[in-house]
Amino acid sequence: MAGENGQSEVTALEKRIIRQVEYYFGDMNLPKDKFLQEKIKEDDGWVSMDVMLNFNRLKCLSDDKDAICTALRKSSTGLIEVDETSTKIRRSPLKPLPDNTKERKDDIQARSVYVKGFPQDSTLDSLLEFFEKHGKIDNLFMRRKAKNDKTFKGSVMVVFSNRDEEDKFLAIQDLQYNDVSLIKMTKEEYFKKKSEEIKQRKLGNDTLKAQEKKAEEDKTLQEKITKGAVLFMKGLPAETKLEDIKGFFEKFGKVAWVEFNQGEDKALVRFGEGNAQSVREKALEAGEGKIVIKEAELETRILEGEEELEYWRKMFRDLAERSNRRRNQQSQSRKRKGGFKSRKGNEKGSHGGDEDGEPKPKAMKKDDKSLSVQAEAESCEPQAMEVKTEDAKNTPVKSEKHEKSAVEIKTGTDGVKQEND
């Protein structure tokens, strides 16, 4: 039976030879094949059959030069020219390579399809035969696990010859290969999906790392805090002052810290030695089952679990921030005074200070009421540092240098906090 060009019918082997050689000289491979490009330059585009038989896939199909040339002459595409002597072939000058433009790259991308669900022992030939039943393709790429691992992943990227062929393929319902349903989508859809999966995986890893970090921080925090030391209360009248809260509870135990924003109905009181429950019970007993401040009955409970840990986290953050502010203020103060070190090791700077050029802190009088709250905080830096390091383990802590209680007051736009060391 004669073919379209008057030749006898194309055999299965000849179809495979045509497909393989046209792939070598095709639009997808030739622009990337440096070896073949060099050979093309040597003889006006012609490549000898001896050279072509260096391509292993072609040689596996046939090493008979005449048989290969005979098959190529039966091709209906007109892509390959065969020399009269059947000793060399070339890509037809009438079919030049398209320019490698952005438009062409976008076009190839738009014609590309991702398909998954093939067995790992699939061969390139079996896959090509499968896809050619469903449309004309320009290229098929078998995806491997890694550069050094040639194991087939079971998925391919296929470039169809045009958008219509691609659309027909994607429209096939429940496409199967060896009775296994295949997953198919455009290449663009696939990469969007993978990008989102990577994003979610990274987010999951970041979340896991954050959880592990928090668990480690919580473990360290558990070792530093005094458990059962904080009492929460709710229901305070609007006119309640910090002194009212502190004065009420000092009748039942040592108050280490009161956190209260005037005008709010809630407050937190921290007691020493983790005895908040004991203080609460004493207060309830004294009030015949009620805790009343300013004629208002309060709802109270002891902080536990995550709520208790969050309280201590905030407390340590506040202490660190106050310490940093003091250091920054002292640094700015030294800059304004223009402190410097003398060239001679046994002399001091012009402003006075210790041997390393740092000014000595000014002494403060206890009864100097004109001092600002900020100045008082600066003068009490040693005590503040002592609270940060010791108070978490055993509240309250007395300074070795100050036997009398000192009060640190933190003011803000929304309230007052007071702590007794």
Side-chain angles (χ1 to χ4, degrees), residues 312-327:
W312 287 98
R313 287 191 199 101
K314 182 177 182 299
M315 191 206 77
F316 286 127
R317 283 198 302 268
D318 290 345
L319 285 174
E321 287 173 4
R322 289 201 297 273
S323 177
N324 289 336
R325 281 198 299 271
R326 283 193 290 271
R327 283 196 294 268

Side-chain angles (χ1 to χ4, degrees), residues 38 98 164 172 201 215 241 260 281 366 394 411 413:
E38 291 299 320
D164 289 339
I172 299 173
R201 188 160 57 246
K241 297 180 180 180
F260 172 61
E281 290 172 355
K366 287 185 178 179
N394 190 8
T411 60
T413 58

